[in-house]
Amino acid sequence: MAYKVIDRESYYRKGVFRHFSEDCKCSTSMTARIDVTDLVNYSKEAGTKFYINFLYILSKVLNSREDYKMGYLWQTEELICYDVINPTQYVFHEDTETFTLVYTEYQVDYKAFYENALQEMEKAKNTREYGLDLENHPNWFDASCIPWLSYDSLHIELPDGYLFFAPIVNWGQYRKENGRLLMPVTVRLNHAIADGYLVANVFRLLQLEIKSFVQK
């Protein structure tokens, strides 16, 4: 884990950060449907898992700009930006109807990421422990799939004033609409480090990255 400390006096969101971390402490979230038709077809043709392919694309998008990699050090009250953030994904156990966390390191190399994610998911299937370990995983973001439902909205609530800056991303079951497969995705970010543009930009980048990914 490596990071740089952000100088708040020269931070380009200085005024916004102060307002939404002191006066109006809140988060902002947005749900939209993205077109995953080409990624679903690619995954089937390649014999790979759509879930891991999307997880890779999501991780690549969130590592593409500093605004999505912010953190806060409580001990020193410093605003920081991590060099890289990694996805915390989940394995669902049908027998207990519970989840186990899977800490998967993001790697730019797709094949390396895919194999690592697959192996760690298989290991998680052998336990029924939740596996939460925040102390050793400060630069991990939450990536959670809800495959049982193609939902219209979803809200993740955190206590007022809680300066938690890691993205929280959920996605649901895709469904066919007008011949295309559309999947609901929800992105939550702390308003102190992100506004509507930055949240909406995640969806734009996901579509662009999906297009690039399937053309390789």
Side-chain angles (χ1 to χ4, degrees):
M1 180 193 66
Y3 61 84
K4 68 177 181 179
V5 176
I6 302 297
D7 179 4
R8 294 195 203 180
E9 290 304 312
S10 59
Y11 180 35
Y12 88 106
R13 292 178 56 82
K14 173 183 175 181
V16 178
F17 180 85
R18 191 209 63 77
H19 177 57
F20 286 108
S21 64
E22 297 179 17
D23 306 327
C24 181
K25 302 173 182 179
C26 64
S27 296
T28 179
S29 65
M30 192 178 300
T31 297
R33 297 186 185 276
I34 66 171
D35 190 329
V36 295
T37 309
D38 295 338
L39 183 60
V40 171
N41 293 336
Y42 173 92
S43 301
K44 290 179 179 178
E45 293 171 2
T48 55
K49 294 183 179 296
F50 168 84
Y51 170 83
I52 300 181
N53 290 342
F54 181 74
L55 186 68
Y56 170 78
I57 289 170
L58 173 64
S59 300
K60 188 174 182 180
V61 165
L62 293 180
N63 276 283
S64 67
R65 64 180 291 164
E66 291 188 349
D67 296 287
Y68 305 136
K69 300 187 291 182
M70 306 296 276
Y72 188 77
L73 300 182
W74 294 95
Q75 302 88 339
T76 57
E77 298 185 344
E78 291 177 304
L79 177 64
I80 64 172
C81 176
Y82 291 107
D83 287 357
V84 63
I85 57 174
N86 308 290
T88 302
Q89 52 160 317
Y90 298 81
V91 164
F92 180 70
H93 306 294
E94 296 281 352
D95 57 339
T96 58
E97 297 182 346
T98 59
F99 291 89
T100 294
L101 272 70
V102 181
Y103 290 106
T104 302
E105 288 191 10
Y106 170 64
Q107 299 178 66
V108 177
D109 182 87
Y110 162 70
K111 291 184 178 179
F113 176 89
Y114 188 95
E115 290 302 322
N116 185 43
L118 193 60
Q119 290 174 14
E120 297 200 346
M121 289 170 64
E122 289 301 316
K123 286 192 296 183
K125 292 178 181 179
N126 297 321
T127 180
R128 295 299 180 269
E129 297 295 325
Y130 186 51
L132 181 65
D133 183 15
L134 292 177
E135 183 177 352
N136 293 310
H137 300 86
N139 59 321
W140 261 251
F141 69 91
D142 197 277
S144 180
C145 179
I146 307 172
W148 309 279
L149 180 69
S150 182
Y151 62 83
D152 293 315
S153 65
L154 185 151
H155 299 282
I156 301 292
E157 304 295 338
L158 291 177
D160 288 346
Y162 187 45
L163 299 182
F164 181 83
F165 294 155
I168 298 177
V169 182
N170 299 84
W171 63 97
Q173 184 184 84
Y174 54 75
R175 71 186 185 203
K176 183 171 286 189
E177 296 182 17
N178 298 318
R180 305 296 292 180
L181 297 175
L182 302 183
M183 185 174 76
V185 178
T186 303
V187 179
R188 177 266 179 202
L189 285 162
N190 193 296
H191 209 338
I193 52 94
D195 51 25
Y197 168 79
L198 287 170
V199 177
N201 190 49
V202 174
F203 298 95
R204 182 185 69 85
L205 293 174
L206 282 172
Q207 292 288 185
L208 290 174
E209 193 55 44
I210 287 174
K211 181 178 181 181
S212 175
F213 182 83
V214 300
Q215 291 178 345
K216 292 181 180 178

